[in-house]
Amino acid sequence: MAKTPYEIAVIPGDGIGPEVVDAALAVLEECERRYGIALACTPYDFSAELYRRTGRKITAADMDEIGERFDAVLFGAMGLPDVRGPEGLELGAQVEMRAHYGLFASLRPVRLFEGVEGPLTSRDVDMLVIRETSEGMFAGLGDAHEPSDETATDRMTITRATCEKLFDVAFSQARARRKRGTPGHVTLLHKSNALRSNVLMEKVFDEVAAANDDIGSAKHYIDVGSMYMVTDPARYDVIVTENIFGDITSEIAAGIAGGLGIAPSADVSLDHGVFQPSHGSAPDIAGQGVANPTAMILSAAMMLEWLGEQHADETATAVAQRIQSAVETMLAAGTTRPRDLGGEAGTREVADAVIDALA
Ligand code: ATP
């Protein structure tokens, strides 16, 4: 059922996170004024910076509260290179939230928009990379381990249960995308010639593909499949892959579509969603007002799209489409070009241009 207002937890985080979140909130506020959608946004100050100052980080109790009270989480970026937890790993709530809410799929769509120059000769880049985010090469993050200067081990684990859910999402996403003209096709990128876990992943993929034979499917080894992303991007519609392969391939996808500044993402389970840009906190450009907020704005649109699906709310779906169209109009016009795309426009100017384009 459509509900209103949607309760949104907003976690701006570190570095450029707060800057791009402010820009996305400005776009959402304009949508509330124009299109009759209502969002009640509550900010949460979880960040690596907070951990540095106070030792406080997001806890299971915080995530329980957020999960129960809110319809979705809008997340900027978290982590700073010099703020590390006890195991020497960078601090960010993303991994904790993925585990806590069982967010098993990260959806990362990229498209080479008109007005954006990609690094390839082909302009036929329109793909959705689905990265598994609860197991795979990150499965052992919570494992007990003895710190050692001689040997360190990580663990790749793949389960049938997660593969089935993941591939169901991949095929239904391909079906949903097909409504706007994409071919309806899913490719598995894997390494079953060398990794036992990937033999199982491939087997389950074959089963789910057979049950969804209205959608085309293909499989490539991750190495050659990554090469095809650059040499022949048109062959891809939906790509689905395990955790670390997806981490890497989603950034290749972002790169061939114009960079991280325009690549959104959604981390979802069947009933929870965290929406954040594919980029990190970009400390090298933080605090200068120059970050491109497009990825964050498109992530906010993905949030509305997801709320629209979850609550059968056509208004939310329509507003998501309006934001996506406004971003396309802004980029195609070329008068307001963010710095990472070769222009001069700052974060707020880009947000204002998207707001103007909503008209
Ligand atoms: P993480 O591992 O947390 O995803 P990362 O190490 O991949 O982070 P990012 O923080 O994503 O690094 O930044 C990578 C590069 O991309 C940096 O040079 C950064 O300035 C640039 N970048 C990232 N996001 C943006 C943005 N929104 N606008 C402009 N440049 C960006």
Side-chain angles (χ1 to χ4, degrees), residues 10 58 68 92 113 116 127 138 166-167 177 208 215 223 226 232 237 245 282 306 330 352:
V10 179
I58 198 161
E68 278 160 28
F113 292 110
V116 175
M127 60 181 85
F138 292 82
L166 182 76
F167 299 145
R177 283 165 59 84
V208 178
I215 297 293
D223 37 10
S226 303
D232 184 19
D237 175 11
F245 298 161
W306 183 79
M330 180 273 294
D352 287 343

Side-chain angles (χ1 to χ4, degrees), residues 62-328:
D62 295 323
M63 290 185 279
D64 279 343
E65 181 196 303
I66 290 172
E68 278 160 28
R69 203 177 132 195
F70 295 94
D71 297 305
V73 177
L74 195 62
F75 191 98
M78 202 177 293
L80 294 170
D82 59 335
V83 181
R84 305 269 168 164
E87 294 195 335
L89 304 179
E90 234 183 80
L91 201 93
Q94 301 92 313
V95 174
E96 280 90 340
M97 286 198 292
R98 282 176 190 148
H100 195 84
Y101 299 132
L103 308 172
F104 60 89
S106 182
L107 313 183
R108 300 172 173 202
V110 298
R111 190 144 45 106
L112 187 51
F113 292 110
E114 196 190 329
V116 175
E117 225 168 276
L120 308 182
T121 42
S122 169
R123 290 202 57 83
D124 203 346
V125 178
D126 184 352
M127 60 181 85
L128 168 65
V129 178
I130 304 184
R131 167 189 174 189
E132 196 289 315
T133 40
S134 64
E135 50 186 42
M137 193 60 215
F138 292 82
L141 276 183
D143 290 356
H145 83 125
E146 289 293 323
S148 160
D149 272 349
E150 305 302 327
T151 309
T153 303
D154 293 292
R155 173 166 66 84
M156 182 182 278
T157 298
I158 299 281
T159 65
R160 167 176 282 278
T162 298
C163 283
E164 285 175 351
K165 285 189 295 187
L166 182 76
F167 299 145
D168 280 346
V169 168
F171 282 90
S172 43
Q173 285 287 325
R175 205 170 282 117
R177 283 165 59 84
R178 191 168 53 182
K179 290 190 196 127
R180 66 158 180 82
T182 51
H185 189 271
V186 179
T187 305
L188 173 71
L189 298 183
H190 65 101
K191 193 69 184 167
S192 71
N193 53 340
L195 298 169
R196 284 183 290 268
S197 57
N198 282 223
V199 174
L200 174 61
M201 184 164 70
E202 185 184 7
K203 181 167 187 266
V204 180
F205 181 80
D206 288 341
E207 292 168 14
V208 178
N212 288 275
D213 59 5
D214 60 313
I215 297 293
S217 68
K219 300 178 290 186
H220 297 305
Y221 292 132
I222 179 66
D223 37 10
V224 73
S226 303
M227 183 188 76
Y228 291 148
M229 290 180 78
V230 177
T231 57
D232 184 19
R235 73 168 60 214
Y236 292 120
D237 175 11
V238 174
I239 289 175
V240 64
T241 188
E242 77 71 62
N243 209 335
I244 206 159
F245 298 161
D247 194 11
I248 299 163
T249 47
S250 60
E251 297 222 1
I252 297 174
I256 61 177
L260 285 170
I262 55 172
S265 86
D267 281 5
V268 296
S269 68
L270 300 180
D271 50 7
H272 284 92
V274 176
F275 300 84
Q276 63 174 123
S278 292
H279 61 73
S281 60
D284 54 331
I285 57 164
Q288 300 168 33
V290 299
N292 183 354
T294 306
M296 186 74 237
I297 292 169
L298 289 172
S299 303
M302 288 181 83
M303 177 182 80
L304 294 180
E305 199 169 29
W306 183 79
L307 288 170
E309 277 164 28
Q310 293 282 312
H311 299 275
D313 179 355
E314 285 172 13
T315 305
T317 309
V319 176
Q321 280 160 7
R322 283 180 184 274
I323 295 175
Q324 282 156 4
S325 301
V327 165
E328 282 170 35

